[in-house]
Amino acid sequence: QITLKESGPTLVKPTQTLTLTCTFSGFSLSTTGMGVGWVRQPPGKALEWLALIYWDDYKRYSPSLRSRLTITKDTFKNQVDLTMTDMDPVDTATYYCAHRVFGSSFDSWGQGTLVTVSS
Amino acid sequence: QPVLTQSSSASASLGSSVRLTCTLSSGHNTYIIAWHQQQPGKAPRYLMKLEGSGSYTKGSGVPDRFSGSSSGADRYLTISNLQSDDEADYYCETWDSDTPTFGGGTKVTVL
């Protein structure tokens, strides 16, 4: 059974850098094909994909946010981090991490963590 | 990159059926999509992967009431015997060169 859980600050100030951690179990990022992605959802709005990382360290970023995002993995700790720089109030959202097999869809989701950007 | 279009809302009576549509943009009508359900205040839940042929593979524990079908660029999610906890937002997802994209979601109301 795959489980994922997001952790990180609930409140950040404008211009600060946000770092979120996804801790997972039930699969390994050392296994061929395995991946973890980040998706966010502003209050009352739709899902927006942010970034992906795979077992071989292959990374993909949303074109609109590429310059602000960095995704990394710690295979031994079963963790994936997402860093987003220069936070703005419009980045206020629930941030989800999710499991993905290369070439397929998201198929397991974390519970999400709400991040508020405010001074 | 493909674009996914969904109606903003749908409603149906308890015990009836509802069919949701996700339409792929021009030139992408062979793409596989996935359907996700998001109940109020909860995280999304993967429902199924749906091919252009209409073949679908459901996630673990997804009730038989949920089924998928396809026609051209349209991908459908049908919920039969609608229950109160089917009231949720439903999102479709596709991907190209391993770049995912989501539709805008359809809010289903159970009357």
Side-chain angles (χ1 to χ4, degrees):
Chain A
Q1 179 194 1
I2 291 174
T3 64
L4 308 101
K5 188 173 183 180
E6 306 84 354
S7 59
T10 58
L11 178 66
V12 297
K13 290 180 167 49
T15 76
Q16 285 187 336
T17 293
L18 170 70
T19 297
L20 295 173
T21 297
C22 176
T23 303
F24 58 85
S25 63
F27 69 98
S28 172
L29 274 178
S30 63
T31 301
T32 299
M34 295 296 107
V36 171
W38 287 91
V39 174
R40 72 178 179 180
Q41 184 175 39
K45 296 189 177 181
L47 302 171
E48 178 187 18
W49 168 68
L50 301 176
L52 281 171
I53 191 166
Y54 286 100
W55 81 101
D56 58 357
D57 212 34
Y58 176 62
K59 301 170 187 178
R60 298 289 286 175
Y61 294 103
S62 166
S64 63
L65 293 166
R66 175 188 303 274
S67 64
R68 299 174 53 206
L69 297 173
T70 303
I71 189 168
T72 60
K73 63 181 176 68
D74 186 326
T75 304
F76 298 102
K77 289 185 178 179
N78 281 351
Q79 289 181 335
V80 170
D81 284 353
L82 179 74
T83 299
M84 181 180 290
T85 61
D86 194 24
M87 294 292 284
D88 183 272
V90 300
D91 297 313
T92 293
T94 297
Y95 288 76
Y96 298 99
C97 63
H99 172 263
R100 189 179 188 90
V101 173
F102 186 78
S104 190
S105 69
F106 293 112
D107 58 21
S108 294
W109 294 79
Q111 64 188 29
T113 185
L114 175 62
V115 178
T116 302
V117 184
S118 174
S119 54
Chain B
Q1 292 297 324
V3 174
L4 297 172
T5 302
Q6 298 183 251
S7 299
S8 59
S9 64
S11 61
S13 299
L14 192 69
S16 70
S17 296
V18 66
R19 189 175 79 169
L20 310 182
T21 305
C22 173
T23 302
L24 288 149
S25 53
S26 177
H28 300 96
N29 63 342
T30 63
Y31 278 48
I32 299 169
I33 73 150
W35 284 103
H36 304 274
Q37 175 196 59
Q38 187 177 34
Q39 295 172 321
K42 293 190 175 182
R45 174 196 183 190
Y46 168 72
L47 293 178
M48 68 177 67
K49 198 163 58 175
L50 173 60
E51 299 181 22
S53 64
S55 174
Y56 61 93
T57 306
K58 290 197 289 189
S60 175
V62 176
D64 292 343
R65 304 184 293 104
F66 291 83
S67 62
S69 58
S70 297
S71 177
D74 292 332
R75 305 286 182 268
Y76 305 109
L77 174 69
T78 299
I79 312 171
S80 305
N81 188 20
L82 206 58
Q83 303 297 302
S84 57
D85 63 357
D86 297 331
E87 191 158 283
D89 293 323
Y90 292 82
Y91 292 93
C92 53
E93 173 206 350
T94 194
W95 52 98
D96 188 1
S97 300
D98 215 57
T99 299
T101 186
F102 291 94
T106 297
K107 183 177 185 59
V108 169
T109 301
V110 179
L111 303 173

